[in-house]
Amino acid sequence: RLTDAVRDDDSQYAQRNWVIGVSVVALLLSFFANQRYIFLDTGLLLPLAAFILFAVELRSHSKHPFSNIGWNTTALLYLLLPLMFTFKIFFEKGGLFLIALFCIIWFYDSACYVFGSLFGKHKLTERISPKKTIEGLLAGAALTLVLAWFITLIPGMDTLQRVEWVVLSAVIIVSGTIGDLFESLLKR
């Protein structure tokens, strides 16, 4: 089994988790120290963490070293990259802009769920995510793009033009759907 490859030795597994945890905590501490140049920190942090994970794997004498390195590097990137980009958006565009992005994501997910539950008949990818429907996807996307068109009417949301909000929302829709399907694929 795949999980057996990653968990050859529980003590080595704990060491790998420790490296990933310390990396995430270092990034969070960098944020709370109000450093605007978070990429400098992670430019040092990511390679160092990857090197330490590799060194731990060399010491572990596991049966599946490449699987372990791959899974641990994926976990490290899966945790750190979203945090890095979130911090960068926060420092460059502000908190209100970041909240607007999250609201667009939540609105899209909710609209897909509601319309997919009510009107969904055709499955999007039944093997990966059995409850997602094409009708939910299309209705959620359409309503989210309409929301993006009118978002500039909210005070403080004039950082982008209407067309830019629509394009950004389209990118969020595509990447959010792909990310959601990827997470569902990891679960199955």
Side-chain angles (χ1 to χ4, degrees):
R1 288 184 14 182
L2 189 58
T3 53
D4 295 337
V6 178
R7 295 182 182 218
D8 281 336
D9 179 13
D10 284 341
S11 66
Q12 296 299 322
Y13 185 72
Q15 287 178 353
R16 293 179 202 116
N17 281 346
W18 185 83
V19 170
I20 292 169
V22 166
S23 301
V24 171
V25 167
L27 184 65
L28 289 173
L29 288 175
S30 174
F31 171 73
F32 290 125
N34 198 18
Q35 292 185 1
R36 291 180 180 257
Y37 304 104
I38 218 114
F39 281 99
L40 293 177
D41 296 344
T42 52
L44 299 172
L45 183 66
L46 279 174
L48 180 63
F51 175 77
I52 292 171
L53 284 172
F54 185 71
V56 167
E57 194 56 45
L58 284 175
R59 272 191 64 239
S60 73
H61 305 293
S62 76
K63 297 174 192 168
H64 310 282
F66 290 109
S67 278
N68 292 345
I69 290 170
W71 278 106
N72 291 316
T73 304
T74 300
L76 186 68
L77 294 176
Y78 192 74
L79 292 171
L80 287 183
L81 285 179
L83 286 173
M84 285 172 33
F85 289 124
T86 302
F87 295 162
K88 185 160 179 61
I89 291 169
F90 177 80
F91 284 123
E92 289 187 3
K93 294 287 189 177
L96 188 60
F97 184 82
L98 187 62
I99 289 171
L101 292 180
F102 280 117
C103 287
I104 290 170
I105 294 166
W106 293 327
F107 183 83
Y108 170 66
D109 279 345
S110 300
C112 286
Y113 174 75
V114 168
F115 282 90
S117 297
L118 294 175
F119 305 110
K121 294 194 184 345
H122 302 94
K123 303 294 181 188
L124 183 64
T125 54
E126 193 165 357
R127 184 182 66 85
I128 296 173
S129 188
K131 293 187 177 183
K132 289 194 187 346
T133 64
I134 294 172
E135 293 83 3
L137 175 86
L138 294 175
L143 287 173
T144 303
L145 293 174
V146 169
L147 169 78
W149 181 257
F150 291 107
I151 202 165
T152 56
L153 300 176
I154 299 171
M157 298 311 303
D158 55 356
T159 55
L160 297 177
Q161 300 296 318
R162 281 185 172 187
V163 174
E164 293 172 323
W165 276 110
V166 171
V167 170
L168 181 61
S169 295
V171 170
I172 289 172
I173 289 167
V174 171
S175 59
T177 303
I178 291 170
D180 200 16
L181 291 172
F182 178 73
E183 283 186 22
S184 294
L185 185 63
L186 286 178
K187 287 191 289 189
R188 303 205 189 319

